[in-house]
């Protein structure tokens, strides 16, 4: 695999995962269809009252969180590069009678597809690892926000991505270096699936994230680190309280997630 083909390789993988994810227990699709808000409490608190807010949701997968925001009263535009995911998101939007919009494009091309500025840009959990260039990512966020608009960004902590899949060894660089080429069987949503997938990803340090946002006039208003994950998407976890997961051998010794709230500075 060559890194310049990362978009095609990763898109194929995510297109192939959509149907599996929808049918998995991980995404609790039946509960979602019956009204469940899929956003974690941390994210809802950081977003604040979204009634009447225009929200751009980057890398939205098949739209559960986007549609949850719509249920909470926001006017939402979801972006994802997977044709299969966006098709499913649009179908769910119609089925639920909501008013979200979904656009299929590479996240870097977002500004070519939107025609307005947003009150909030939201993106969360397992997103930036698929992107080689955070400067371009921050350009999209800055370009999509209204003056004094808000960024709400939650992500798995880069310390987690340093380890091999079994959390036995520090295997990868904390700082972005060479692309990470992997071949995996199954998916975090259903590890028993025998499908094989190829991926190309990058690790991004916290300093890289902060500097990319600051460079593009995003003022950091709040930053939090968490010693747990909302999602049981890693190996060898324990659910120490309902809905909170840690790597069993580490307990609370390593960070699992972080959250950033930023604001576009009006120049």
């Amino acid at each position: 695999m060559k890194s310049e083909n990362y978009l095609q390789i990763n898109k194929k993988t995510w297109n192939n995962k959509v149907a599996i994810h929808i049918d998995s227990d991980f995404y609790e699709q039946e509960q979602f269809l019956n009204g469940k808000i899929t956003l974690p409490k941390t994210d809802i608190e950081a977003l604040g009252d979204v009634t009447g807010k225009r929200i751009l949701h980057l890398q939205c997968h098949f739209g559960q969180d986007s549609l949850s925001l719509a249920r909470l009263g926001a006017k939402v535009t979801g972006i994802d590069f997977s044709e299969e995911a966006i098709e499913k998101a649009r179908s769910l939007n119609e089925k639920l009678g909501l008013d979200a919009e979904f656009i299929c494009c590479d996240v870097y091309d977002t500004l070519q597809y939107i025609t307005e500025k947003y009150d909030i840009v939201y993106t969360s959990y397992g997103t930036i690892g698929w992107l080689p260039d955070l400067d371009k990512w921050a350009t999209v966020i800055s370009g999509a926000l209204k003056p004094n608009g808000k960024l709400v960004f939650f992500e798995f902590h880069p310390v987690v991505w340093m380890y091999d899949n079994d959390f036995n060894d520090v295997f990868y660089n904390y700082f972005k270096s060479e692309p990470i080429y992997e071949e995996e069987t199954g998916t975090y949503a259903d590890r028993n699936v025998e499908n094989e997938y190829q991926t190309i990803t990058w690790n991004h340090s916290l300093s890289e994230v902060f500097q990319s946002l600051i460079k593009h006039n995003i003022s950091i208003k709040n930053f939090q680190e968490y010693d747990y994950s909302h999602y049981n998407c890693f190996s060898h976890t324990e659910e120490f309280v309902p809905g909170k997961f840690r790597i069993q051998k580490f307990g609370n010794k390593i960070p699992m997630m972080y959250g950033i709230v930023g604001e576009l500075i009006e120049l």
Side-chain angles (χ1 to χ4, degrees), residues 190-218:
D190 189 345
R191 295 188 177 95
N192 295 319
V193 171
E194 296 184 356
N195 299 34
E196 294 185 354
Y197 305 104
Q198 295 179 325
T199 61
I200 302 177
T201 58
W202 290 263
N203 284 352
H204 299 290
S205 67
L206 290 178
S207 60
E208 185 186 357
V209 174
F210 282 123
Q211 290 303 318
S212 66
L213 294 172
I214 292 168
K215 177 182 176 182
H216 292 281
N217 304 316
I218 304 292

Side-chain angles (χ1 to χ4, degrees), residues 1 39 45 47 92 109-110 138 155 196 200 211 236-237 246 260-261:
M1 290 188 287
L39 296 161
E45 290 176 349
L47 287 157
L92 287 170
D109 296 333
T110 298
E155 182 58 280
E196 294 185 354
I200 302 177
Q211 290 303 318
H236 309 299
T237 58
R246 290 173 175 158
I260 294 173
V261 176

